[in-house]
Amino acid sequence: MSIVGLSEGGWAGLGESARAAVTDAEFVIGGQRHLDHLPAISGQQREAWPSPFSEGIERIRQWQGRRVCVLASGDPFWHGVGATLARTFPPEVMVCHPGPSAFSLAAARLGWPLQSVHCHSLVARDPDRLRAALAPGRRLLVLSNDEQSPETVCRLLVENGYGASRVTVLEALGGPEEQVTGTTAGEGVAHPVARLNSLAIECEVADPERPVARVPGRPGEAFVHDGQISQPEVRAVVMAKLAPRGGEHLWDLGAGSGAVAVEWLLADAANHATAVEQRPERVANVRANARCHGVGHLQVVEGDALLAMASLVRPDAVFIGGGASGEGVIEGAWSALPAGGRCVATAVTTEGEMALLAAQGRLGGQLIRLSMDHTEPLGRFNGWQSDRPITIWSATKSSQAGE
């Protein structure tokens, strides 16, 4: 099976080996716009990719063992069909002939070093996830889903305080109808845009005090909450103990605002998380915080933490921010962890602290207590006001640990 990456340059833009892969194939499948670029080849069967997408995979499977060519856009293994095919067919039966990706073409037009640019795709993806990538001075290349994507992205930038950002719309790159136009997010896109387009964004923030830091311990005002949220300093310590390594799954039990789960997901784009919260109004806050921070893929479960555990994907780390004193909560979380898994729990009540002391006695780990003071007006001067101390238990499960 050959996979050939086509740009808008069409047949003329293909190399000799890629052309041979097409002309030698008995069966060719691809998008209709890809098929339209090909010359007529006698006896060759061609099909446009069907919907649903899985039917196309099945058609390829029916031709397995014969000469098949799959047409793709640009580089098939960069936000393309290549990854989907690789989940079904082993690499030894595939030969890929990549073309220039939309990211490469856009960087070449703008003179941007591709290694210093953040690349994202909106194809069949939630546009809100782009929020997590925004940062002052950052350059982004975005593969659009359709002709509506430029306006969607411009609105998103404005909502996040990046209305001054320069946005370049690159349409039909590499083809005879290529068009490159510039605007700002605040101005929006004034002309109809081709369905095949990419965006180049130079992030510029209107209010330098608004962007949220890219490290754990983000301020409380960055989240929607009803007061059930840990202090930024506490959250920074909790995240250090949870130690996200990338590609791991977190349980945030008794999530409150979901701030810990959000910070976990922002730590690495490959991370996953499940937030469990019993109160409906707080569940709504968790979802709102996930959306506004660009981590809408956070799984939110409304219900009791202990009851929910049995149906959740096994975690690599667990944070218990509420309900640590509940019967069986710590034990259930600990049992679910694999070797190397981390469990962190906090408490501000004496009952919760007793539960953490008992957990340390049974399971080991470390106990710390954080006490913080902050200044507040005291007449014409300032004085110190003490917050409630918070106890944090953290432990890593060893391969010899009991269940």
Side-chain angles (χ1 to χ4, degrees), residues 214-282:
R214 305 197 67 80
V215 295
R218 293 166 174 85
E221 54 266 27
F223 299 92
V224 180
H225 62 89
D226 59 0
Q228 188 68 18
I229 185 172
S230 53
Q231 292 292 333
E233 297 82 1
V234 173
R235 214 175 320 116
V237 173
V238 165
M239 288 301 297
K241 299 294 185 182
L242 288 171
R245 300 167 184 171
E248 294 186 313
H249 194 107
L250 172 77
W251 286 358
D252 184 356
L253 306 179
S257 66
V260 168
V262 167
E263 301 236 42
W264 171 273
L265 292 172
L266 290 173
D268 191 281
N271 279 347
H272 300 276
T274 301
V276 182
E277 173 53 52
Q278 197 161 17
R279 297 190 184 183
E281 65 275 13
R282 289 178 179 168

Side-chain angles (χ1 to χ4, degrees), residues 284-310:
N285 289 344
V286 173
R287 291 197 171 106
N289 287 322
R291 176 184 174 275
C292 73
H293 284 87
V295 291
H297 55 299
L298 169 63
Q299 180 189 21
V300 184
V301 176
E302 181 179 337
D304 178 82
L306 187 59
L307 296 177
M309 289 184 204

Side-chain angles (χ1 to χ4, degrees), residues 68-88:
V68 174
C69 181
V70 179
L71 301 179
S73 295
D75 186 343
F77 282 92
W78 197 349
H79 293 297
V81 72
T84 303
L85 293 171
R87 287 194 290 269
T88 304

Side-chain angles (χ1 to χ4, degrees), residues 44-331:
Q44 187 178 78
Q45 184 170 333
R46 297 176 178 175
E47 290 185 15
W49 204 279
S51 179
F53 197 82
S54 58
E55 290 185 8
I57 300 293
E58 185 56 36
R59 288 292 293 134
I60 295 171
R61 201 192 298 273
Q62 292 169 10
W63 282 79
Q64 205 163 358
R66 300 171 69 180
R67 296 190 303 278
V68 174
C69 181
V70 179
L71 301 179
S73 295
D75 186 343
F77 282 92
W78 197 349
H79 293 297
V81 72
T84 303
L85 293 171
R87 287 194 290 269
T88 304
F89 304 100
E92 57 266 23
V93 306
M94 298 187 292
V95 177
C96 185
H97 305 270
S101 69
F103 299 124
S104 297
L105 291 171
R109 298 294 184 273
L110 299 171
W112 288 6
L114 195 54
Q115 72 273 10
S116 63
V117 178
H118 289 249
C119 298
H120 300 267
S121 174
L122 298 184
V123 178
R125 289 174 172 85
D126 182 1
D128 281 329
R129 294 194 67 169
L130 196 60
R131 298 175 191 266
L134 302 179
R138 176 169 288 177
R139 286 175 168 177
L140 307 174
L141 289 177
V142 180
L143 186 61
S144 292
N145 185 57
D146 53 31
E147 62 273 23
Q148 304 300 323
S149 295
E151 272 301 317
T152 299
V153 170
C154 284
R155 287 195 300 271
L156 184 149
L157 290 167
V158 171
E159 288 175 11
N160 282 265
Y162 286 86
S165 299
R166 182 74 178 169
V167 179
T168 303
V169 184
L170 306 105
E171 304 172 63
L173 281 176
E177 298 181 5
E178 177 178 312
Q179 184 175 356
V180 179
T181 54
T183 183
T184 65
E187 292 170 346
V189 181
H191 68 281
V193 176
R195 182 174 180 82
L196 185 65
N197 71 87
S198 301
L199 304 173
I201 304 168
E202 297 173 87
C203 294
E204 185 175 336
V205 67
D207 181 1
E209 296 182 5
R210 178 170 178 175
V212 176
R214 305 197 67 80
V215 295
R218 293 166 174 85
E221 54 266 27
F223 299 92
V224 180
H225 62 89
D226 59 0
Q228 188 68 18
I229 185 172
S230 53
Q231 292 292 333
E233 297 82 1
V234 173
R235 214 175 320 116
V237 173
V238 165
M239 288 301 297
K241 299 294 185 182
L242 288 171
R245 300 167 184 171
E248 294 186 313
H249 194 107
L250 172 77
W251 286 358
D252 184 356
L253 306 179
S257 66
V260 168
V262 167
E263 301 236 42
W264 171 273
L265 292 172
L266 290 173
D268 191 281
N271 279 347
H272 300 276
T274 301
V276 182
E277 173 53 52
Q278 197 161 17
R279 297 190 184 183
E281 65 275 13
R282 289 178 179 168
V283 168
N285 289 344
V286 173
R287 291 197 171 106
N289 287 322
R291 176 184 174 275
C292 73
H293 284 87
V295 291
H297 55 299
L298 169 63
Q299 180 189 21
V300 184
V301 176
E302 181 179 337
D304 178 82
L306 187 59
L307 296 177
M309 289 184 204
S311 60
L312 301 182
V313 173
R314 194 177 186 188
D316 300 287
V318 179
F319 173 62
I320 307 172
S325 60
E327 185 176 352
V329 173
I330 292 177
E331 288 76 8

